Amino acid sequence: MRFRGNTQFASAVGLVLGLLCAVEAAKVNKHKPWIETTYHGIVTENDDKVLLDPPLIALDKDAPLRYAESFEVTLTEEGEICGFRIHGQNVPFEAVVLDKSTGEGVIRAKDKLDCELQKEHTFTIQAYDCGEGPDGANMKKSHKATVHIQVNDINEYSPVFKEKSYKATVIEGKKYDSILKVEAVDADCSFQFSQICNYEIITPDVPFTIDKDGFIKNTEKLSYGKERMYKLTVTAYDCGKNRASEDVLVKISVKPTCKPSWQGFNKRIEYEPGTGSLALFPSMHLETCDEPITSIRANIELETNHIGKGCDRDTYSEKSLHKLCGASTGTVELLPAPSSSSNWTVGLPTDNGHDSDQVFEFNGTQAIKVPDGMVSTSLKEPFTISVWMRHGPGAQDKETILCNSDKTEMNRHHYSLYVHNCRLILLLRQDPSEAENYKPAEFHWKLDQACDKEWHHYVLNVEFPTVSLFVDGTTFEPFLVTEDYPLHASKIETQLTIGACWQDNSGHDNDTESVSEPTSGANARMAQFFRGNLAGLMIRSGKLENKKVIDCLYTCKEGLDVQLPEEVASAVKVEFNPNQSSLTVEGDDIDALDKVMQHISYLNSRQFPTPGIRHLRISTTVKCFNEEACVSVPDAEGYVMVLQPEEPKISLSGIDHFARSAAEFESQEGVTLFPELRIVSTITREVEADTESEAAEGADDDPTVQETVVSEEIMHNLDTCEVSVVGDELDGEHESLELDVSQLQQHGLEMSSSNLGLVVTGVNTMANYEQVLHLIRYKNWHTEALFDRKFKLVCSELNGRYISNDFKVEVNVIHTASPVEHANNAMVQPNFINPVHHASVDLSGHNLVNAHQASVVPSAATIVIVVCVSFLVFMIILGVFRIRAAHQRTMRDQENGKENEMDWDDSALTITVNPMETYEDQHSSEEEEEEEEESEDGEEEDDITSAESESSEDEEGGEPEDQQGASRQQQLEWDDSTLTY
C-alpha cells in the first residue's frame, strides 16, 4: 500500500512536470499566421465601411489547445494576431484588428471615396502575430493576400447639356424627320445613374416634339409669315430621375422658301488707309436652291465716279503727274492751281470737294486768257494736248475747250479743240506755205463719252497730217476729216483762251457773251463758251505721248483685285476692265466660283486716299439645262467705306531771325535764308491706354476707356514750297532770290520766280526739298537803305491738300561805320578788334534808323566796347578814392583814440532808459545797407579786396556816424546832473 501510494504520487508529479514542459514548449513561436489568398469587397462612395467576402480572419497554429478538464490554460502572445499591413501606393484603406485572440479584422476607408474618380481599388494585405524576441525577431507574418474593392455609386450628379444653346434653321412648308439633336451628359460613374433616360420640351403649345435620344422635329408645317423664330426650353432626366441642373434654350429659325441669291457677305465694308488689300467677300457663297445649273457669270462693279476724276488718283499738279509718268520735258500746264507765279486761273470757280483735286467749272459764262508766251507751239512740229473733261448733253452750239485765235482785226481760229453735238473736233489750220493746196483741217470723233456727264481722259497726239485720239487709254480713229486751205500770211498776234474763243463782235451776236474782265479790242468778245468741268489741260510741244505715259496718267490708284487659288485657276475665267473698277467671273463649278469670289479684294495704293463711300454691285447671270425653269439671281449691293486717313502735320522749323553784314548781302553768294531748315511731318493717333498697370490706382475711378494721344513721325512727299516776300515786293534792279538751277535739276524739281517770291515745284521727298531750300540765297547790291527783310516759307503736299505752318524769317543788315579823322590822336581808341568776315552775329531786334546815321554812328560792337572800357576806368578811380579815404579815417581814429576812452566815467552813471539802443539799431541798419551796396559793387569789380571794401564802408558811413555821435551826446547830456567829475 505504501509502495502503491508512492507510485501514484510519482505519477502525478510526472504529469504536472509534463504539462509545464508543454506550456514552455507552447511559448515558442513556430508558425506564421494564415489568411485567405483573395478578398472581394464593396464600399459605397461617401462611406468608409467595406463589406469583405470572405471576412478578414487570421489564424495561427501557435495558439494552445483548450482542455475541458480542471486545468485552465492561458493563451500566449505568440498565438495572438497583432495587426494587418496593407501594401500599395496611395491606398485609401486601412485594416484594423478587432480581436487579437480570434484574429478577426476589418478594412475601412481612410477618407470618403469618389466613384467618379476611381471605381475600383486593388491592393495586398498581410497579417502578423504578437510573437516577440530580441528586436522582434520572433514575429511571424502571413503571406500576402489580394484585396479587390469596388466603389458603389450614388446618384449625386444631375444631367448637364453639352451646349449652352442650340440653333437650327428650317425652311417653311416642310415637315422634317429631325431638325437637330440636343445632348446631355451625367457625371455619375455608374451605368444606371449616368445614362439619360428622357428629354422633355417644357415650353407649352409649340409644334415640336423630342424623343428619348434628344432629336427634335416639327409636328406640323411651319410658316415664315406666322413665326420667324421659335424658342424652346428643353430639359433632361437621368435614369435615377434626376432633372438637369439647367435647362437649355433651343432657337429654331424659319426661313422663307428658298430663293437663289448671294449670301454671307457684309453690306458695309470698312477700309483703313495703308492696310493694303482687303477681302470684300471672305464668306460669300451663291445659294442656288439645288437647281441644276450649267454656268454662272458674275460681274462685280466698284462705283467710283463720284471720287475725284472718276476714281481715286494722286492730286498732284498735272505737270508733276506727267513727270512721274515719264513725260519730263516740254509740258506746259494751262489750268494750274492759282499761285503767285501763275494767277490767270484765279477767277475761275473750282470744285474744292475732292481733296484738292484741282477741278475748274465752266458754266457758259466764264473763260480765261492764257498769258502770252506760255505756249510756243509750232504746228510743223509734233505736239500733244491732254485734258480731263466732264461734259453732259449740251446745246447745238459749239463749246470750246481750247482756242488760239487772232487778237485783233480778223476772226481766224488757228487751232481749237471743241465739242459739238457729242462730237469732239480738233481744228488745225496750217500756216501759209508755198503750195496752197487743201490740207486736213478738222478731225471729228463721235464719242458717247463726250456727253455722258462722266470724267474721261483725252489725249490727242498731233503729228500733221495724222492725229491720234486716246480716250481713257483706248485709241479712237476719226470718223470724218475735212480739208481747208492754209491761212493767209498775217502779222496779227494770236490769243490763247480756255473755255471760249476770242474773236471780234461782228456777226456773232447770237452765240457770244461778254466777260467781266477788260478786253483788248473795242469790239472783242468771247464766243462759243464751254459748259462742263475741265482739269489738267496740258500742251507738250515737240514730242508725242507714248502709250505707257497715257496709261499711267489714266490709271486709278484704287480698284478691284483678285488672287486666284491654284486649285480653281483653270475652272474659272476672270476679266478686268482697264481701270480695274469692274471684273467678271465666269465658270460652271459653283464651289470654284465661290472660292474666287471670296478672294476678290479692294486695294487703294494712295498714302492718303480720298475718304468716302464706294458702292459695290454684283450682277449675276445663270444658265440652266432647262432654260424655261432656270433660276434668276437678284443683284447684290453693298459699299466700301474708306475711312479718313490720319492727316499729317507738316512742320517747318529753323533759325527765324539773324543778322548779316551788308557786305554779305552784296557778295556774289548772297545770304542763305534757310541754313538750318528742318521739315518734319507727324500724325496724331488716339490709342487706348494700358490700363493693366493702372488697375490698382484707378479701381475707384470712372470706368470709361482712357485714350492717349500719340504723335508719330511719318515720311511722305512734297510737291510745292513757296518763298514769298513779307512787305514790299522785290525790286529787280537791286535785289533777288536765287537758287542753283543745276541742283534743282539733280533733284528733278523746277522753279519759277517773280517779284513776289520764288516757287519750287515737283513731287519729291522732304529730305530733297530740305537740301534745295538750304540753297536759296537772297542778294541785295544796294544795302545803304536796307535794314531788314522778311520772308515766309510754306510747303504743301498733294496740290495743297496738306499745308505746312508759315515759317517766317527776318534778316537784319549790319552796317559798319566809316573811319573818322580825329584832331587829337591821343583820343582815338586803339584798333584792337580785328574784323571777322565769316562769322554771323545774331542781333535780333537791332534796327538802324536810316542811311545817313549809318555813315556817322558807330556800329553796335563799337558802342558796347566803349561803354565797357569807360565803366572799367570809372571803377578803378572809385577804388583808389575809397582806399585813400580809408587811410585818412584810420589816422584820425588813432589820434582820437585816447580822448574817446576818457570822455566820461560811467561808474556813477544812472540811466533809466538806455539811449544806446537807438544808436545800435541805427548803426546796424546802416551796416546792412552798406553791406548790400558792397555786394553790388563786388559783382561789378572783382579786383577790390575785402579790406578796401571795409575802408570804403567806413568812409561812406563817416558823416552819418558823426551825426549819430552828436545825437548820442545830446541823449546823454539830459541826465548829467548825477555825474561827478
Side-chain angles (χ1 to χ4, degrees):
M1 291 292 292
R2 191 175 187 177
F3 176 76
R4 184 178 179 180
N6 292 335
T7 305
Q8 292 178 349
F9 177 77
S11 299
V13 171
L15 178 61
V16 171
L17 292 177
L19 290 173
L20 291 177
C21 291
V23 171
E24 291 296 330
K27 291 182 179 180
V28 179
N29 193 9
K30 295 182 180 181
H31 302 284
K32 296 179 180 180
W34 177 89
I35 58 176
E36 298 288 344
T37 58
T38 304
Y39 294 90
H40 293 276
I42 298 175
V43 61
T44 303
E45 62 178 348
N46 300 330
D47 192 7
D48 62 346
K49 186 176 181 181
V50 180
L51 298 179
L52 283 180
D53 183 26
L56 181 60
I57 298 177
L59 301 177
D60 195 326
K61 292 183 179 181
D62 292 322
L65 297 175
R66 298 177 183 269
Y67 294 94
E69 297 180 1
S70 59
F71 294 98
E72 295 182 0
V73 180
T74 302
L75 293 176
T76 62
E77 293 182 356
E78 287 78 1
E80 294 180 351
I81 302 301
C82 277
F84 297 93
R85 290 183 182 176
I86 294 176
H87 300 276
Q89 294 183 351
N90 301 324
V91 178
F93 296 95
E94 61 182 359
V96 179
V97 177
L98 297 179
D99 189 346
K100 291 185 178 182
S101 60
T102 61
E104 183 181 358
V106 293
I107 296 178
R108 62 189 179 192
K110 296 179 181 179
D111 298 312
K112 292 183 179 180
L113 301 176
D114 192 347
C115 175
E116 286 73 34
L117 295 179
Q118 189 170 350
K119 294 182 179 181
E120 295 182 352
H121 297 271
T122 301
F123 53 89
T124 58
I125 191 171
Q126 192 175 28
Y128 60 93
D129 59 19
C130 297
E132 293 184 0
D135 299 329
N138 292 330
M139 183 180 65
K140 299 293 183 178
K141 298 178 182 179
S142 69
H143 62 272
K144 293 180 179 179
T146 302
V147 180
H148 301 280
I149 298 178
Q150 180 180 347
V151 181
N152 283 350
D153 186 26
I154 61 176
N155 194 9
E156 57 182 332
Y157 291 100
S158 299
V160 177
F161 286 94
K162 287 186 175 181
E163 304 291 339
K164 293 183 178 180
S165 64
Y166 293 86
K167 295 180 181 181
T169 301
V170 296
I171 300 176
E172 64 175 349
K174 293 182 65 176
K175 198 171 181 181
Y176 292 84
D177 294 332
S178 174
I179 296 176
L180 79 159
K181 179 183 179 182
V182 297
E183 186 176 359
V185 294
D186 195 308
D188 287 312
C189 64
S190 65
F191 179 82
Q192 177 185 2
F193 298 142
S194 64
Q195 294 298 308
I196 306 300
C197 285
N198 188 28
Y199 292 93
E200 182 182 353
I201 297 177
I202 300 176
T203 306
D205 302 328
V206 290
F208 298 94
T209 184
I210 188 170
D211 61 16
K212 63 177 183 179
D213 295 324
F215 289 98
I216 298 176
K217 63 181 181 178
N218 57 322
T219 58
E220 62 185 41
K221 294 182 179 180
L222 305 177
S223 173
Y224 178 79
K226 181 180 178 181
E227 190 72 39
R228 297 187 179 185
M229 177 181 288
Y230 291 91
K231 296 182 179 180
L232 313 178
T233 301
V234 178
T235 190
Y237 296 90
D238 63 17
C239 294
K241 296 185 179 182
N242 267 4
R243 181 175 171 174
S245 57
E246 291 184 5
D247 300 333
V248 72
L249 178 63
V250 179
K251 296 180 180 180
I252 300 178
S253 300
V254 180
K255 289 180 59 177
T257 305
C258 180
K259 296 179 181 179
S261 61
W262 290 104
Q263 298 179 2
F265 74 99
N266 295 324
K267 291 188 176 181
R268 175 187 171 97
I269 305 159
E270 291 188 353
Y271 180 80
E272 185 175 351
T275 56
S277 181
L278 174 66
L280 297 176
F281 320 112
S283 303
M284 173 179 275
H285 68 278
L286 179 62
E287 176 62 59
T288 60
C289 299
D290 300 329
E291 293 290 339
I293 294 174
T294 58
S295 66
I296 303 172
R297 179 184 176 89
N299 182 65
I300 301 92
E301 183 179 0
L302 179 71
E303 297 180 3
T304 60
N305 295 334
H306 60 291
I307 303 296
K309 297 187 289 290
C311 66
D312 211 1
R313 296 183 176 88
D314 285 330
T315 56
Y316 295 118
S317 66
E318 198 67 23
K319 193 171 185 178
S320 298
L321 291 174
H322 274 71
K323 278 193 173 183
L324 291 175
C325 290
S328 58
T329 58
T331 55
V332 178
E333 191 170 4
L334 300 182
L335 285 175
S339 66
S340 59
S341 59
S342 54
N343 56 2
W344 62 87
T345 59
V346 172
L348 279 179
T350 59
D351 181 4
N352 294 321
H354 299 296
D355 294 302
S356 300
D357 192 2
Q358 199 67 50
V359 174
F360 294 94
E361 181 180 357
F362 295 84
N363 61 4
T365 62
Q366 300 99 349
I368 60 172
K369 295 187 296 183
V370 179
D372 296 338
M374 288 297 300
V375 179
S376 58
T377 302
S378 173
L379 300 182
K380 295 181 181 180
E381 296 180 357
F383 67 95
T384 298
I385 300 175
S386 65
V387 66
W388 285 92
M389 181 178 71
R390 178 170 60 185
H391 181 262
Q396 300 297 321
D397 302 329
K398 296 180 180 179
E399 299 182 47
T400 301
I401 300 170
L402 177 69
C403 180
N404 188 30
S405 59
D406 291 336
K407 269 191 177 182
T408 57
E409 300 180 13
M410 307 179 72
N411 186 23
R412 300 180 303 174
H413 295 182
H414 293 255
Y415 63 88
S416 67
L417 180 65
Y418 60 93
V419 179
H420 188 210
N421 291 331
C422 295
R423 297 180 182 181
L424 185 67
I425 301 171
L426 175 66
L427 172 66
L428 196 62
R429 299 291 299 277
Q430 291 296 307
D431 292 333
S433 60
E434 297 179 357
E436 294 189 2
N437 300 326
Y438 275 104
K439 294 183 178 180
E442 281 189 342
F443 300 82
H444 296 246
W445 293 271
K446 190 173 183 179
L447 302 170
D448 295 334
Q449 293 89 335
C451 293
D452 63 359
K453 293 184 180 182
E454 300 291 345
W455 279 105
H456 298 284
H457 186 234
Y458 301 85
V459 177
L460 291 98
N461 278 338
V462 180
E463 189 173 16
F464 193 80
T466 303
V467 179
S468 300
L469 172 66
F470 296 86
V471 181
D472 297 338
T474 304
T475 306
F476 289 84
E477 295 295 333
F479 79 95
L480 176 63
V481 178
T482 61
E483 296 181 345
D484 201 349
Y485 282 106
L487 294 174
H488 297 290
S490 173
K491 295 183 179 180
I492 301 174
E493 295 182 354
T494 60
Q495 175 64 58
L496 183 60
T497 57
I498 301 173
C501 260
W502 181 263
Q503 62 188 36
D504 63 21
N505 193 27
S506 58
H508 297 277
D509 291 339
N510 295 331
D511 60 351
T512 63
E513 297 182 36
S514 60
V515 291
S516 58
E517 61 183 86
T519 59
S520 59
N523 296 321
R525 287 189 178 183
M526 292 286 186
Q528 302 174 5
F529 284 93
F530 179 78
R531 294 174 177 83
N533 297 99
L534 297 177
L537 180 57
M538 298 282 296
I539 289 184
R540 187 182 186 192
S541 302
K543 290 187 177 181
L544 301 177
E545 300 286 22
N546 58 42
K547 187 66 167 59
K548 183 178 180 181
V549 173
I550 295 172
D551 291 340
C552 174
L553 292 172
Y554 173 71
T555 301
C556 295
K557 294 292 184 179
E558 65 176 339
L560 301 174
D561 192 17
V562 62
Q563 300 293 331
L564 290 178
E566 295 182 359
E567 62 271 17
V568 299
S570 59
V572 178
K573 181 181 179 181
V574 179
E575 294 180 351
F576 284 91
N577 69 336
N579 62 353
Q580 290 191 309
S581 63
S582 175
L583 67 86
T584 302
V585 181
E586 188 173 2
D588 54 4
D589 187 341
I590 296 178
D591 293 336
L593 189 134
D594 286 345
K595 288 185 178 180
V596 172
M597 294 292 291
Q598 293 167 7
H599 285 78
I600 294 176
S601 59
Y602 169 80
L603 177 63
N604 195 318
S605 59
R606 292 189 65 190
Q607 187 176 8
F608 306 107
T610 303
I613 291 176
R614 279 75 164 165
H615 288 281
L616 281 169
R617 181 186 298 273
I618 305 175
S619 54
T620 310
T621 303
V622 178
K623 293 183 179 181
C624 306
F625 290 103
N626 186 359
E627 294 295 336
E628 295 181 357
C630 192
V631 298
S632 61
V633 180
D635 293 348
E637 295 183 355
Y639 62 93
V640 178
M641 172 59 75
V642 178
L643 303 179
Q644 179 75 36
E646 301 288 348
E647 294 193 2
K649 180 182 179 182
I650 306 173
S651 302
L652 308 180
S653 60
I655 300 176
D656 59 356
H657 196 177
F658 58 90
R660 297 289 186 271
S661 64
E664 292 189 44
F665 287 91
E666 298 174 357
S667 65
Q668 185 68 26
E669 292 80 11
V671 174
T672 302
L673 290 183
F674 313 107
E676 297 183 12
L677 177 67
R678 180 83 171 99
I679 305 177
V680 176
S681 183
T682 58
I683 59 175
T684 302
R685 302 179 186 269
E686 290 186 354
V687 297
E688 293 186 1
D690 186 7
T691 57
E692 293 181 359
S693 60
E694 303 175 357
E697 299 178 0
D700 298 331
D701 297 338
D702 188 5
T704 57
V705 178
Q706 300 292 330
E707 290 187 349
T708 304
V709 177
V710 178
S711 182
E712 178 182 347
E713 183 174 346
I714 63 170
M715 301 300 296
H716 58 78
N717 291 330
L718 297 176
D719 61 357
T720 303
C721 281
E722 181 175 0
V723 182
S724 57
V725 182
V726 179
D728 297 336
E729 298 180 358
L730 292 174
D731 188 348
E733 295 183 358
H734 61 79
E735 61 179 340
S736 65
L737 287 173
E738 297 183 359
L739 183 57
D740 190 354
V741 179
S742 62
Q743 293 291 333
L744 279 173
Q745 294 176 350
Q746 289 181 7
H747 293 89
L749 299 175
E750 292 185 357
M751 177 190 70
S752 60
S753 59
S754 65
N755 57 350
L756 299 177
L758 180 148
V759 180
V760 179
T761 58
V763 180
N764 217 314
T765 63
M766 292 187 293
N768 287 340
Y769 262 93
E770 270 189 13
Q771 296 177 12
V772 170
L773 294 175
H774 287 168
L775 304 176
I776 295 179
R777 304 182 304 277
Y778 170 68
K779 296 175 64 176
N780 191 312
W781 47 92
H782 185 65
T783 59
E784 290 80 4
L786 180 67
F787 299 96
D788 57 53
R789 208 61 159 115
K790 297 179 180 179
F791 301 90
K792 182 178 71 173
L793 173 64
V794 178
C795 295
S796 64
E797 163 69 338
L798 293 175
N799 207 19
R801 179 178 176 183
Y802 304 117
I803 303 176
S804 72
N805 60 306
D806 292 348
F807 179 60
K808 295 182 179 180
V809 173
E810 180 178 350
V811 183
N812 297 120
V813 182
I814 301 176
H815 297 275
T816 56
S818 302
V820 181
E821 295 294 336
H822 296 273
N824 187 0
N825 294 331
M827 298 299 295
V828 179
Q829 294 293 336
N831 186 16
F832 56 87
I833 298 179
N834 295 324
V836 180
H837 298 285
H838 63 277
S840 61
V841 182
D842 187 0
L843 298 177
S844 59
H846 172 64
N847 290 322
L848 300 182
V849 180
N850 53 45
H852 299 289
Q853 289 182 352
S855 61
V856 296
V857 178
S859 65
T862 305
I863 293 174
V864 173
I865 294 171
V866 172
V867 171
C868 293
V869 172
S870 301
F871 183 74
L872 181 61
V873 173
F874 169 76
M875 296 306 298
I876 293 174
I877 295 173
L878 180 62
V880 173
F881 176 75
R882 288 185 175 183
I883 294 172
R884 183 178 179 183
H887 180 68
Q888 293 176 356
R889 176 66 180 271
T890 304
M891 296 297 296
R892 186 172 64 251
D893 292 342
Q894 291 177 357
E895 292 176 358
N896 299 330
K898 295 181 179 181
E899 183 178 356
N900 293 335
E901 294 176 358
M902 300 298 296
D903 280 343
W904 52 277
D905 185 9
D906 58 357
S907 60
L909 180 63
T910 302
I911 300 175
T912 57
V913 177
N914 187 4
M916 294 296 292
E917 293 179 355
T918 305
Y919 167 75
E920 289 175 357
D921 295 338
Q922 294 177 354
H923 187 67
S924 62
S925 63
E926 180 181 351
E927 288 179 349
E928 291 176 358
E929 294 177 356
E930 289 176 353
E931 288 176 359
E932 292 176 359
E933 294 176 357
E934 182 181 358
S935 63
E936 295 177 355
D937 294 338
E939 294 177 356
E940 298 176 350
E941 49 182 0
D942 297 335
D943 56 340
I944 299 177
T945 62
S946 60
E948 294 172 338
S949 300
E950 291 174 0
S951 63
S952 63
E953 289 174 7
D954 295 337
E955 183 169 352
E956 291 176 356
E959 184 177 353
E961 284 182 10
D962 293 339
Q963 296 176 358
Q964 292 175 3
S967 176
R968 179 184 61 181
Q969 186 176 0
Q970 293 174 1
Q971 294 173 358
L972 295 177
E973 287 176 354
W974 70 271
D975 197 20
D976 58 359
S977 60
T978 60
L979 295 177
T980 58
Y981 294 95

